[in-house]
Amino acid sequence: MAKIIVITSGKGGVGKTTTSAAFGTGLALKGHKTVLIDFDVGLRNLDLIMGCERRVVYDFINVIQGEATVQQALIKDKRVENLFILAASQTRDKDALNQEGVGRVLEQLAKDFEYIICDSPAGIEKGAHLAMYYADEAMVVTNPEVSSVRDSDRVLGILASKTKRAEENKEPIKERLILSRYSPDRVARGEMLSVEDVQEILSIDLLGVIPESQAVLNASNSGEPVILHEDSEAGQAYRDLVDRYLGVDVPHRFVDPKKPGFFSRLFGGN
């Protein structure tokens, strides 16, 4: 049975699409048939990060409105077996999304896929709500700063009260925290909230801590999920995250300040 997972946040620019691309790619690398859906109608960034923007013929809205079939709109990733992308429309607005149409598409995808990853727009408007509505699980992406964490807390309220599971009094959506753009050195200087601070505020299970990294921008600009950049700390953190999600006991890395090396200590550097 397919599992529908929404990647969400209260604030824009925290790394939702980067996380959707990396997480979905990681699941596919582990042999799980996975589809990524871009719910950010009008902006459409997921296909850019996945490097398939030139291959988009039909999009999510075309399928919802009956202008194309799911099979026509799905784009098969060229690098990773078992990975597919359903792009958002760049020319429509969010009103083109509707609950019945989204449900119908998800139902069709559930027949062929193990994991359906919904890349949500930021905030609590219509597109974000529809991305959450049918979810079985939610990954809340936040940065270690007060406004981002506060907005994520509002999203948790919606997940608990305005989804299909909530309406039908079913088992609540399983919520997990992904802390992105984390810098232990800045935390030590008091410039960022710590992992413990964020967990105390949001009170949900921590799935992964993604370090602040130039590799994320480099990967996005080259149209590759950062998880494929195995030599980068961000890529390694996402691989750990996927393993942890799949039940492997993996300790959290990149959460403590780096200790200065021998020569740095010898010559008084930081």
Side-chain angles (χ1 to χ4, degrees), residues 206-226:
L206 179 67
L207 184 64
V209 178
I210 312 302
E212 205 167 33
S213 173
Q214 179 65 32
V216 173
L217 181 60
N218 294 344
S220 297
N221 287 339
S222 61
E224 291 183 323
V226 71

Side-chain angles (χ1 to χ4, degrees), residues 48-79:
L48 289 171
I49 287 182
M50 295 300 296
C52 63
E53 69 277 7
R54 294 182 180 178
R55 297 170 60 205
V56 177
V57 178
Y58 296 108
D59 56 51
F60 192 16
I61 300 301
N62 292 138
V63 178
I64 285 176
Q65 298 191 344
E67 298 160 355
T69 66
V70 169
Q71 287 70 29
Q72 287 175 315
L74 284 174
I75 300 169
K76 189 179 189 306
D77 191 84
K78 290 183 175 180
R79 297 158 299 212

Side-chain angles (χ1 to χ4, degrees), residues 1-155:
M1 187 175 178
K3 192 166 285 186
I4 301 172
I5 303 170
V6 62
I7 313 292
T8 185
S9 76
K11 190 175 182 183
V14 299
K16 280 186 310 303
T17 301
T18 294
T19 295
S20 297
F23 181 61
T25 300
L27 289 173
L29 286 168
K30 294 288 184 179
H32 300 284
K33 194 172 182 185
T34 304
V35 59
L36 304 170
I37 308 178
D38 191 347
F39 274 79
D40 207 350
V41 176
L43 292 179
R44 208 183 94 180
N45 288 321
L46 182 61
D47 57 309
L48 289 171
I49 287 182
M50 295 300 296
C52 63
E53 69 277 7
R54 294 182 180 178
R55 297 170 60 205
V56 177
V57 178
Y58 296 108
D59 56 51
F60 192 16
I61 300 301
N62 292 138
V63 178
I64 285 176
Q65 298 191 344
E67 298 160 355
T69 66
V70 169
Q71 287 70 29
Q72 287 175 315
L74 284 174
I75 300 169
K76 189 179 189 306
D77 191 84
K78 290 183 175 180
R79 297 158 299 212
V80 181
E81 193 69 26
N82 297 315
L83 184 61
F84 293 78
I85 299 97
L86 182 54
S89 172
Q90 221 171 1
T91 58
R92 314 284 182 97
D93 62 31
K94 290 176 174 60
D95 290 334
L97 285 172
N98 62 76
Q99 189 169 295
E100 182 186 351
V102 169
R104 190 171 61 249
V105 174
L106 292 175
E107 191 176 331
Q108 291 176 49
L109 291 170
K111 296 173 184 176
D112 295 319
F113 290 91
E114 290 179 72
Y115 290 100
I116 300 170
I117 311 299
C118 302
D119 181 27
S120 170
I124 54 176
E125 45 74 40
K126 184 177 180 181
H129 180 243
L130 287 174
M132 298 178 203
Y133 184 75
Y134 292 98
D136 300 309
E137 300 184 4
M139 296 188 182
V140 181
V141 183
T142 190
N143 292 158
E145 51 148 17
V146 172
S147 62
S148 180
V149 174
R150 181 193 60 197
D151 289 348
S152 292
D153 198 34
R154 293 179 67 198
V155 168

